[in-house]
Structures are given as structure tokens and as C-alpha cells.
Amino acid sequence: MNRAITIFVLAALIALTGCQTVTPAGYYWGNYSKTLYAYTKAPSDETLAQHSAELERIIEVSKDKNLRTPPGIHAELGYIKARRGENALAMAHYESEMQQYPESRLFLERLTTPADGTKR
Amino acid sequence: MDARILISALVLLGMTGCSSVQMGTKRDAYPLMYTDKKPVSMLVVPAINESTAADAGDLLNVTVAQPFADHGYYVFPVPIVAEIFKREGIVEGTQVKGLPTSVFKKNFGADSVLFITIENWDKNYMVVAGNITVGIEYVLLSTETNEVLWSYDQKVVVDTSGSSGNILVDLVATAINTAVAQYVPVAAQVHATAIQSMPFGKYHPQSGADGESRSVNLAAKDAALDPTK
């Protein structure tokens, strides 16, 4: 029973994380859920750095394999960069997200325009 | 086609006497998803948590984007959206449930909004038997018309009981298995099962071509909309 559970958990985790596979919709997710889970369970600079690194890696691999980056990956990384004050990089990532997913434009433009209307 | 109907009929006949599961096609169950009302984008709002696990909503957020994105929808980045809602004091779906969905179109540019209710998120330990149960109710609403585009109710129960036959071994095994069982993979399994009923979105190669797929458990579809549940 133990083994069955282990196998089930592993299979579900693999299904969830996508490992090295590209999903039918054409996305590579890498270890996205694993690093996001770690950060959610125990938020810290370290777990955030690991999640951030995984986002970078997903973007790299997607580029190499000529795939669209999964929805939200560029946006998430841009948000993390913006929090760190790396505004130029943040904007670049938001731009990539908007280019790949035009439906994200209103959302990301609002994210980057402070309430007083000045562009950061 | 005839052979398939015959086989289906035989299977149904074979099932009489047991409760028959009524399955419908995606197009019959969710007709709006085969019109221009099918959304391109989807906003996931904070979950409505009916379980006793305080962290269920946060853990659920880890699992929710991938399955819907893989199904062809643009899902707004869940961690960012969750933080935006939190800053507005919104941590639970019930806080936004009554709002006209046009609010989400206006503020996020979202075509649709997904309300998730966590009905079960528990570990049940009965000494020589145990399980981990995750049950989720999904309702996808159009932000143009407030109409229900897709709905489903899905539960997954993973047995964590020891089954060696030796009662002392099983006692310990059950306790350990239940204690270490992880919610997140089970939640992922719930999404994976429920989403089989859902029409594919724009970014999926089979978008629009799956209308005849008879993968919708009609009781599950209706259960999600039943206010008495």
C-alpha cells in the first residue's frame, strides 16, 4: 500500500510539475509547482530566490525549445524584479507577457501605473 | 458510429441495477463554450474555503494555474492576483462572490472568472483505515454576462490504510501513511479529473474540436451549481 501511495504521489507530482515534458498545449513548466509550493509553505528570501531562478529557467528552456512561455511566468518574474527595484527588467518581462498574451495587457499596464497616473 | 452506439447501449444495460452515471457531451453540457462567448482569459479569485484547514486556499493556489493553462486558457498569474486581492482585504472568495462579474472585466481585463470552493481538504484517520480527501467545486462565470460557462464538482479520496493483513503493522502503517500524505498532489488529481469535462481553450490544439467528447458527468456538473450542497 505504501508503495502504491508513493507511486501515486510521484505520478501526480510528475503530472503536476511536467518534469522534462512539454504539455499538449505546448508548455514547459519545469519545477514550477515545486518551487511555488516551497515558497508558499515557507516564505523566505531563499525560497523566493529558488522560485525566481526556476521562472528564469522555464523561460530559457521555452526559448531553446521554441515554445511559448506558459501563461503568467514572465509576469510573475517581472513582479519579483519590480519588488527588488529592478524596474527595467520588470518592464521587459511584462512586455514579453503582453506580446505572447495580448489579453494580459490591461492587467499588466495597471500593475505598472501607480494610482497617481505617473509611469514608474 | 453504429457499433459505438450498440456498445454504449450494451454497457448501459449491463449497468442497470447499479446507479447509472449519466454522461453528456461537452457541447451539450456547456453550449456557451462553443460560441464566441468562450473566454480566452480566466481570473482565479481566492478560494472559498469550506474545510477546516486554514492553509487550504494558499496550497490550492499552487496547483490551480497549470491545469487550466494546459487546457488552453490564459490564466492571470495566480500569485500576483492573490496579492492584489489581499491588499484589498480580500482573502476569501465569499467576499467577492456577490459582485457583478463585470468588475473583473473592468479591473483585470478578464473574460471569465473562476470561483473555486474547497469542500473537502482533510485527512481522515480511523486507526486501521485512513484517507486523504480533497473535494473541489468549480464555477466559471462570464464577465460579460455573468452566465455560468462551466461548472463541476469533483472529489478524490486517496486510501492511506495499511493493508498488510497484520493488524499491528497496519495500525502503524495507516498512521504514518495518513500523516505523510500530501494534499497538493491530491488537489492536482482533482483538477486533472474535473478538467476532462471542460472544453479546451484557445491556446490548446483541440480548441473547438472537442464538442462531441462524452466526458461530462452531468451530476457533477449540476452539483457544482446546487446551492444546497
Side-chain angles (χ1 to χ4, degrees):
Chain A
M1 198 59 227
N2 230 328
R3 259 199 85 215
I5 292 171
T6 312
I7 290 168
F8 171 85
V9 167
L10 275 175
L13 271 174
I14 287 168
L16 182 60
T17 61
C19 266
Q20 296 306 305
T21 57
V22 177
T23 58
Y27 299 131
Y28 172 77
W29 290 94
N31 292 317
Y32 176 80
S33 350
K34 189 157 160 261
T35 52
L36 181 58
Y37 175 73
Y39 177 60
T40 302
K41 255 317 208 159
S44 72
D45 287 340
E46 200 192 316
T47 51
L48 182 59
Q50 280 169 2
H51 185 54
S52 177
E54 185 60 17
L55 295 171
E56 305 258 19
R57 201 179 69 83
I58 289 169
I59 291 168
E60 268 313 300
V61 172
S62 301
K63 227 180 278 177
D64 285 345
K65 292 183 190 243
N66 215 12
L67 303 168
R68 233 184 298 122
T69 330
I73 300 294
H74 271 292
E76 245 191 274
L77 189 54
Y79 193 71
I80 293 172
K81 302 266 179 208
R83 290 304 225 23
R84 292 202 200 122
E86 300 172 46
N87 292 317
L89 277 172
M91 285 310 302
H93 281 295
Y94 290 153
E95 263 308 310
S96 299
E97 182 85 14
M98 287 189 264
Q99 254 181 51
Q100 292 186 35
Y101 304 103
E103 47 273 9
S104 68
R105 186 161 287 272
L106 190 153
F107 173 67
L108 292 173
E109 281 178 352
R110 277 179 154 240
L111 213 55
T112 52
T113 310
D116 63 2
T118 56
K119 279 241 181 253
R120 242 187 272 145
Chain B
M1 196 59 217
D2 282 346
R4 280 182 65 200
I5 294 172
L6 181 61
I7 291 167
S8 309
L10 285 172
V11 169
L12 275 172
L13 277 173
M15 282 174 81
T16 53
C18 333
S19 59
S20 58
V21 172
Q22 269 215 301
M23 301 296 286
T25 64
K26 287 186 185 182
R27 189 190 302 272
D28 285 345
Y30 309 112
L32 294 173
M33 294 288 252
Y34 294 90
T35 67
D36 56 9
K37 289 189 178 174
K38 181 170 91 172
V40 173
S41 66
M42 172 190 299
L43 180 76
V44 185
V45 297
I48 296 166
N49 188 0
E50 291 180 352
S51 79
T52 54
D55 60 351
D58 286 342
L59 292 182
L60 184 88
N61 275 352
V62 173
T63 64
V64 75
Q66 242 173 289
F68 291 97
D70 278 339
H71 220 66
Y73 294 90
Y74 177 75
V75 182
F76 290 88
V78 172
I80 304 178
V81 171
E83 218 177 277
I84 291 173
F85 276 111
K86 205 188 221 174
R87 261 189 262 147
E88 299 300 311
I90 296 165
V91 293
E92 246 268 342
T94 31
Q95 295 172 272
V96 292
K97 197 169 164 187
L99 295 174
T101 54
S102 51
V103 153
F104 303 112
K105 178 138 197 94
K106 180 161 175 277
N107 288 296
F108 293 90
D111 296 329
S112 66
V113 54
L114 182 65
F115 281 93
I116 289 181
T117 303
I118 302 170
E119 297 174 315
N120 315 92
W121 190 278
D122 23 65
K123 290 185 181 179
N124 300 298
Y125 177 61
M126 296 88 66
V127 186
V128 281
N131 65 59
I132 174 171
T133 301
V134 175
I136 297 174
E137 177 194 286
Y138 309 81
V139 180
L140 183 72
L141 298 177
S142 160
T143 56
E144 292 271 343
T145 64
N146 249 58
E147 289 166 292
V148 175
L149 297 170
W150 175 69
S151 66
Y152 219 69
D153 196 291
Q154 184 69 49
K155 182 156 69 171
V156 169
V157 180
V158 177
D159 193 349
T160 53
S161 314
S163 57
S164 69
N166 178 322
I167 197 160
L168 289 175
V169 172
D170 285 349
L171 256 167
V172 177
T174 304
I176 294 174
N177 291 347
T178 313
V180 302
Q182 293 286 305
Y183 286 103
V184 167
V186 183
Q189 191 57 43
V190 177
H191 298 321
T193 311
I195 215 160
Q196 285 173 49
S197 71
M198 191 187 200
F200 289 114
K202 165 187 166 186
Y203 291 107
H204 194 280
Q206 287 175 53
S207 172
D210 60 346
E212 305 314 308
S213 168
R214 190 167 287 274
S215 57
V216 183
N217 178 320
L218 297 174
K221 160 182 169 276
D222 293 332
L225 302 175
D226 185 348
T228 63
K229 281 209 80 208

